[in-house]
Amino acid sequence: MLTLVSGGSASGKSEFAESLVVSSGCTKRFYLATMIPFDEECHKRIARHRNMRAQKGFETIEVPTALEKIHFDGDQENRVALLECMSNLVANELYSPDGAGEQTLQKVIDGVEQLTKQCADVIVVTNEIFSDGIQYDPSTQEYLRVLGLVNQQIAARADCVVEVVAGIPIVWKGKA
Amino acid sequence: MRLIIGGAGQGKLNWYLSQNPSEQTIADGETISLDTIPHGTVLNHLHLWIFRLMQENKNPQELLADYLQTYPDAVIICDEIGCGVVPMTSQEREWREMTGRICCELAKQAVRVDRVFCGIAMTLKKEA
């Protein structure tokens, strides 16, 4: 089962996504982290979050790029993966030197496909950043365009699509 | 008239065309001439058309009324642009205000209003 969770910043989407993991019934919980740490503050924050999730039984895997190369050993049964956040992964693929560049859309969708093959439940968290009306520079406009397409393609194949507003899940597709 | 709204890059036009594949005449508010009313049964990128008209000191509400007289069954597609920080320039603030108010008015008149999110539509209003 594939679920896409979106929402604005601080909308409660991470907490909602974690609740989906806990209620999934799968006991092997993986957290796929996409942020690239660029300074000491990032490292500290990441270490703190890792510890918090470890207490909830999550194993953290860093996937700042190349999600399509992910590999889990063994059977998909009983495995649930939470990927957070698609907006970071797409930015990393588009802009980092070892990213996929123009192949970003295809690589990221391949990556999600890989996850669904190897995990019984997959929850992808993305970000609603499309309604501020700002005409950004061409590079940022391109980022918005690609992230919009990634979201649409994941939503098209997802069993469930949820927008979280003020901590309240609005179901756009399927049943949360 | 129908109104379709949603954030940028959500697949609003594609969603409409997937439901109505025979639709042929799309006026793109980003590029159409500002000397006449839009010619097309679909007016896409309403928010950009409004922006361009305001830059030339033309009145978007009047031109839109004229457009709807000629195309009363038009499908109007507009980005939602009001969910960011208040813009720094008065020009952008006035554009955001104008676009929002026009969408409210269109939604009142429309027989149907849909909101598209990640390529999925939610019908907000549908008259029997």
Side-chain angles (χ1 to χ4, degrees):
Chain A
M1 170 140 162
L2 172 62
T3 303
L4 180 67
V5 177
S6 189
S9 67
S11 61
K13 58 189 189 294
S14 301
E15 201 181 330
F16 175 74
E18 282 190 20
S19 79
L20 291 181
V21 172
V22 172
S23 62
S24 89
C26 298
T27 53
K28 287 183 191 160
R29 298 170 180 169
F30 291 89
Y31 184 93
L32 308 185
T34 57
M35 191 189 231
I36 296 177
F38 55 88
D39 63 10
E40 189 53 30
E41 192 184 330
C42 287
H43 282 288
K44 273 187 186 157
R45 200 163 58 192
I46 286 171
R48 187 174 147 265
H49 280 216
R50 255 178 188 267
N51 283 335
M52 273 166 56
R53 286 192 302 266
Q55 286 162 18
K56 291 181 186 168
F58 280 94
E59 184 180 323
T60 298
I61 303 173
E62 308 282 347
V63 277
T65 56
L67 178 65
E68 74 280 2
K69 292 187 181 132
I70 191 132
H71 177 74
F72 296 94
D73 286 320
D75 204 4
Q76 67 147 221
E77 302 263 318
N78 207 22
R79 185 181 297 132
V80 53
L82 167 58
L83 182 136
E84 184 168 16
C85 173
M86 189 49 84
S87 57
N88 278 332
L89 181 64
V90 168
N92 297 342
E93 292 287 16
L94 275 177
Y95 302 123
S96 75
D98 56 348
E102 289 178 359
Q103 307 293 313
T104 296
L105 175 61
Q106 199 201 323
K107 289 275 166 101
V108 168
I109 296 300
D110 281 356
V112 174
E113 195 68 36
Q114 276 304 318
L115 283 182
T116 60
K117 280 183 189 156
Q118 299 182 54
C119 304
D121 277 330
V122 176
I123 296 120
V124 174
V125 176
T126 188
N127 207 343
E128 169 49 37
I129 55 170
F130 303 94
S131 303
D132 64 6
I134 298 174
Q135 304 291 304
Y136 292 96
D137 59 281
S139 161
T140 307
Q141 291 286 122
E142 177 64 5
Y143 167 65
L144 289 173
R145 191 184 73 83
V146 174
L147 182 60
L149 288 173
V150 165
N151 288 349
Q152 284 181 52
Q153 291 195 14
I154 296 173
R157 74 175 302 308
D159 302 285
C160 182
V161 178
V162 181
E163 177 189 16
V164 181
V165 179
I168 300 163
I170 298 171
V171 179
W172 284 81
K173 180 180 182 183
K175 216 172 157 189
Chain B
M1 176 263 294
R2 284 178 59 174
L3 175 66
I4 300 171
I5 55 171
Q10 301 301 299
K12 296 183 286 297
L13 178 63
N14 279 346
W15 172 76
Y16 176 72
L17 293 177
S18 72
Q19 312 279 309
N20 301 273
S22 62
E23 194 62 61
Q24 293 296 330
T25 53
I26 300 163
D28 186 344
E30 189 172 10
T31 51
I32 48 170
S33 162
L34 302 178
D35 298 330
T36 67
I37 62 162
H39 286 292
T41 52
V42 176
L43 173 53
N44 193 27
H45 296 135
L46 174 74
H47 62 294
L48 296 178
W49 185 62
I50 293 171
F51 185 81
R52 292 170 61 216
L53 288 171
M54 290 177 80
Q55 277 193 318
E56 298 207 355
N57 292 316
K58 292 183 173 172
N59 185 330
Q61 280 145 321
E62 276 175 21
L63 275 160
L64 195 56
D66 291 346
Y67 168 66
L68 286 171
Q69 283 226 313
T70 310
Y71 297 94
D73 297 324
V75 176
I76 299 177
I77 303 176
C78 189
D79 279 12
E80 286 181 81
I81 62 167
C83 301
V85 175
V86 177
M88 295 296 279
T89 68
S90 64
Q91 184 197 31
E92 284 174 296
R93 286 195 294 275
E94 283 161 20
W95 170 56
R96 195 167 81 146
E97 181 72 17
M98 177 71 81
T99 302
R101 297 295 166 208
I102 285 177
C103 280
C104 292
E105 188 51 42
L106 288 174
K108 265 189 213 165
Q109 295 174 26
V111 294
R112 178 170 171 178
V113 180
D114 295 281
R115 183 166 179 241
V116 178
F117 178 76
C118 299
I120 302 166
M122 188 180 281
T123 303
L124 303 183
K125 173 184 174 182
K126 195 174 185 180
E127 285 185 356

